[in-house]
C-alpha cells in the first residue's frame, strides 16, 4: 500500500483525508504466473496498481496472440476501453510472473473522485499519461522500422527485454521472432 501511495504522490499530491479514503477503497490481489486478470468478452470493472510482478495485454487475432502492452511494478493496468465504457473487453490481461496488485472498482473510483477533487485531478493526469503512451505506440507502429522500434525499446524500456519472453516482445514490436533475432544481432 505504501508503494501505491508514493506512486500517486509522484503524480499529484493528495491530502490525508483523500489518502485514507483511497486506502479503504482498494483491495490487494495476489495472483500466480500465467493467471488471467481479465479475458476477452468480460467487462473489466477494476483498475489495478502493480506493486510487484509483470503482466501483458494481448488480443487474439486469427489464432495468434498479439501483445500490445506490458505492465510492471508501479504501473496502472486495466482494459481501459472496457473499464471506462462498461462494455466487454476484446483484450486479455495475463500475468507473466506472480504479482501483487491493488485493485479499485470503477464505482469506488468514481465515488472517490466525486468526493475528493485532488483524486479526480490525479486520475485525469494518469489518463493523460496513458493517452500519450498510446499515441507514441501508434506512431512507432506506423512510422518506424523494426530496427527503430527495437532501438527505442532498448533505450526507453530495457526492463521489458529483461522480463518478457522474446515471442511477446516480437509481437509487441509487430515483427516475427526471426526478424527480432536479426535486429537484435545488429545491436
Amino acid at each position: 500500500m505504501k508503494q501505491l501511495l508514493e506512486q500517486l504522490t509522484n503524480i499529484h499530491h493528495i491530502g490525508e483525508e483523500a489518502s485514507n479514503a483511497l486506502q479503504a477503497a482498494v483491495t490487494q490481489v495476489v495472483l500466480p504466473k500465467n493467471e488471467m486478470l481479465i479475458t476477452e468478452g468480460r467487462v473489466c470493472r477494476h483498475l489495478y496498481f502493480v506493486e510487484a510482478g509483470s503482466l501483458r495485454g494481448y488480443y487474439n487475432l486469427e489464432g495468434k496472440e498479439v501483445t500490445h502492452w506490458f505492465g510492471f511494478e508501479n504501473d496502472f493496468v486495466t482494459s481501459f476501453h472496457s473499464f471506462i465504457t462498461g462494455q466487454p473487453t476484446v483484450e486479455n490481461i495475463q500475468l507473466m510472473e506472480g504479482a501483487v496488485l491493488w485493485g479499485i472498482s470503477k464505482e469506488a473510483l468514481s465515488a472517490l473522485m466525486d468526493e475528493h477533487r485532488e483524486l479526480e485531478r490525479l486520475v485525469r493526469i494518469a489518463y493523460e499519461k496513458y493517452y500519450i503512451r498510446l499515441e507514441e505506440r501508434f506512431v512507432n507502429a506506423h512510422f518506424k522500422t523494426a530496427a527503430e522500434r527495437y532501438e527505442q525499446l532498448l533505450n526507453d524500456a530495457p526492463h521489458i527485454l529483461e522480463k518478457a519472453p522474446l515471442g511477446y516482445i516480437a509481437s509487441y514490436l509487430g515483427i516475427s521472432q526471426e526478424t527480432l533475432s536479426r535486429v537484435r544481432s545488429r545491436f
Side-chain angles (χ1 to χ4, degrees), residues 80-117:
F80 271 97
H81 186 270
S82 179
F83 180 73
I84 292 168
T85 65
Q87 296 176 358
T89 185
V90 294
E91 73 179 308
N92 300 282
I93 301 175
Q94 179 184 35
L95 280 80
M96 294 190 302
E97 60 185 356
V100 177
L101 312 167
W102 291 93
I104 187 167
S105 71
K106 171 78 169 162
E107 295 78 19
L109 183 60
S110 294
L112 284 174
M113 289 189 309
D114 287 344
E115 197 172 316
H116 303 280
R117 184 163 182 224

Side-chain angles (χ1 to χ4, degrees), residues 20-37:
N20 291 337
L22 179 64
Q23 289 179 65
V26 297
T27 304
Q28 187 180 53
V29 179
V30 180
L31 296 170
K33 179 179 181 175
N34 295 323
E35 185 81 15
M36 300 301 289
L37 184 63

